[in-house]
Amino acid sequence: MIEFKNVDFAYESDSLVLENINLKINDGEFVFIVGSSGAGKSSIFKLLRREEVATKGEVIVGGYNLSRLSNKDIPTYRRTLGVVFQDFRLIKSMTVYENVAFALRVTNVSSRDIRRRVPYILGLVGLGPKAKKYPDQISGGEQQRVSLARALVNNPALIIADEPTGNIDPALAFDIMHLLFEINRAGTTVLVVTHDMKLVDKFGGRVITIENGKVESDVVKESKL
Amino acid sequence: MRGGTFRYLSKQGLSSLSKNKLMTFASIGVLSACLFLISAALLLSVNLNSIIRYVEEQNEIVIFLDDLSEEKLAEADNQIRAIEGLNSVTFVSKADALKEQAAELGDAILEGLQDDNPLPDSYRIKISAYTDLALTVSSLEAIEGVIQVNAPSNLAETLASIRQTVLIISISVVTALILVTMVVIANTIKLTVFARKLEINIMKQVGARNNFIRFPFMIEGGTLGFLAAVVSIIFSLSAYQAILALTAKESASWMSAVYNNLIPLADLWWIIVIINITIGVITGVISTIASVKKHLKV
Ligand SMILES: Nc1ncnc2c1ncn2[C@@H]1O[C@H](COP(=O)(O)OP(=O)(O)OP(=O)(O)O)[C@@H](O)[C@H]1O
Ligand SMILES: [Mg+2]
């Protein structure tokens, strides 16, 4: 379960980027987070990744109180997450395969399991043939899918995806979103930030709108699938 | 850490070395120059020690006596032993001296000499390195019945003070050099670490522990130090070998006593190898860890 309790957040001391956020997201939910550019969506994800710490209030994820997480526990906590970054964050010196495998190596998974798991996940996001390419040698949409593959590879309990379909054509975007839905159906909590209202309308579900650092609305829309 | 992970991380560190060839060469250059100077200082002080030990062994005064009556001899003996700063005083009678000569040169010389021994009675006196040699010699000369005093030069004293100075200078130069080398390596590596700042950040984001991120850098630094050590070992040992070869040719000169006491390569190459590799690897690892530290706080 994810819980934001009276959360304020500011990068610099003067201006609040997030103001009095209160949210409760249960295990197994699929949630869209929408809102205009600069509203604070990525900042919410930064708090969830414990890249930043709430200025006020508490963020609690799966029993971890992120404001009180010790340095030693941060890696342990992060391994429970699958993150798709808005800016992909791929390691340029590693191939597509290595970028994905890396998330497993970090957690001490055996080489044999890595060799089994990584090709499977790359196939899932349609990147099998690109495994040996470097990030600079593939398109933006492909890089985005590498980021997605890395997020999925260690079977996380929670996936947070910042614009996972931002650079992808509509057909592929639908497929990717569908994949996230399938993963969600298998029990994983999924949070997706998107600007693509067509996708939101089509898939439906819980939609949280953030504006000016506040929760503007939190509704459930019907699926049109 | 799993074997697979270990191999993977080691490979990462090594591939970084070959990717950043310029920085690798620069760091190895600086570190091996430093290690070479350390080796030179070490070789110098080890050899100086051996020479000083030799010279100290030669630090013996021999005095020869007239043919003295037993009473006079006892009196001279008392006077000699009363002098301060003598480590040991050994009386060698003319008969003993003859036996020694016979032992050295063969019994043949005893023939005809047994009854008419031409050798004088003598004393062998060891003095400590701190004794005032000139004063001791003049006191000995003043004793009645002493006909000759053979004293060594002051070489031992001079060498002892040189050794002290060399030791102090080498320790301070070597310490300074190691510090400078660490700073240089830390800075060269900092450049590649900075280039990999984003990479480190991503690693931390997917849950890598600090040790996991540090490990390739440690392998990188350790390998760098090891390679520098190998370079330094090759250069310092061949230089030393060349010096030994050169001095061997000069055996006739007055310096031969010194040259003969240089330590042969076979007796000290392992010291140079161990010291170089230890200092090289430790310096390499410490300076890399220092340069990564800052970027781990994300
Ligand atoms: N590192 C930072 N330092 C200071 N201010 C920042 C930083 N990152 C974001 N901001 C500011 O915080 C606010 C919220 O940014 P955020 O990235 O959360 O927006 P967003 O909702 O994700 O926007 P977008 O849809 O364009 O990605 C913006 O005003 C932005 O300028
Ligand atoms: Mg954003």
Side-chain angles (χ1 to χ4, degrees), chain B residues 37-276:
Chain B
L37 290 174
I38 291 175
S39 309
L42 192 71
L43 287 170
L44 185 64
S45 70
V46 167
N47 277 296
L48 215 50
N49 262 335
S50 147
I51 292 166
I52 288 165
R53 213 173 305 127
Y54 167 77
V55 174
E56 266 170 3
E57 275 163 19
Q58 314 304 307
N59 212 4
E60 191 181 64
I61 300 176
V62 182
I63 59 178
F64 297 103
L65 303 176
D66 229 348
D67 255 339
L68 297 176
S69 65
E70 245 171 77
E71 278 162 44
K72 284 269 172 79
L73 189 62
E75 203 174 303
D77 189 84
N78 278 339
Q79 284 178 2
I80 290 168
R81 291 181 196 275
I83 294 173
E84 276 178 29
L86 307 185
N87 273 357
S88 72
V89 177
T90 318
F91 176 68
V92 182
S93 71
K94 47 198 302 174
D96 291 340
L98 190 62
K99 269 185 227 152
E100 271 183 29
Q101 291 288 321
E104 252 177 58
L105 303 172
D107 285 340
I109 73 154
L110 290 177
E111 250 168 72
L113 292 180
Q114 229 124 9
D115 300 326
D116 184 20
N117 185 347
L119 297 171
D121 287 331
S122 63
Y123 278 91
R124 291 188 190 148
I125 299 169
K126 287 243 158 76
I127 61 170
S128 81
Y130 307 102
T131 310
D132 185 337
L133 192 66
L135 190 71
T136 312
V137 169
S138 61
S139 320
L140 287 168
E141 278 169 343
I143 294 170
E144 209 191 324
V146 172
I147 50 170
Q148 198 187 334
V149 177
N150 284 353
S153 66
N154 269 348
L155 197 56
E157 269 177 74
T158 317
L159 284 178
S161 75
I162 290 178
R163 171 174 56 180
Q164 200 116 41
T165 318
V166 167
L167 193 71
I168 292 168
I169 292 178
S170 348
I171 288 178
S172 28
V173 168
V174 163
T175 315
L177 274 174
I178 290 183
L179 289 178
V180 168
T181 311
M182 280 191 175
V183 171
V184 171
I185 294 186
N187 273 303
T188 11
I189 289 185
K190 212 180 265 172
L191 292 179
T192 66
V193 172
F194 187 77
R196 279 146 78 184
K197 195 179 149 189
L198 180 67
E199 199 173 312
I200 293 174
N201 177 287
I202 296 168
M203 292 178 179
K204 291 230 54 167
Q205 287 299 332
V206 297
R209 291 193 186 285
N210 289 346
N211 281 339
F212 187 94
I213 296 172
R214 258 195 296 254
F215 193 79
F217 288 98
M218 282 169 64
I219 292 282
E220 192 175 333
T223 308
L224 219 107
F226 181 80
L227 293 177
V230 170
V231 172
S232 159
I233 289 168
I234 291 173
F235 275 93
S236 54
L237 290 186
S238 7
Y240 188 63
Q241 177 69 48
I243 290 172
L244 288 181
L246 218 65
T247 53
K249 279 190 217 141
E250 301 257 329
S251 59
S253 86
W254 66 273
M255 284 290 279
S256 62
V258 169
Y259 294 160
N260 288 337
N261 282 285
L262 292 181
I263 299 172
L265 194 62
D267 290 355
L268 53 58
W269 65 268
W270 59 274
I271 306 179
I272 296 295
V273 168
I274 291 175
I275 295 274
N276 272 280

Side-chain angles (χ1 to χ4, degrees), chain A residues 72 76 78-79 102 108, chain B residues 2 203-205 207 209:
Chain A
K72 208 175 111 280
T76 317
R78 284 180 178 158
R79 289 172 193 182
F102 187 77
N108 231 350
Chain B
R2 276 175 187 278
M203 292 178 179
K204 291 230 54 167
Q205 287 299 332
R209 291 193 186 285

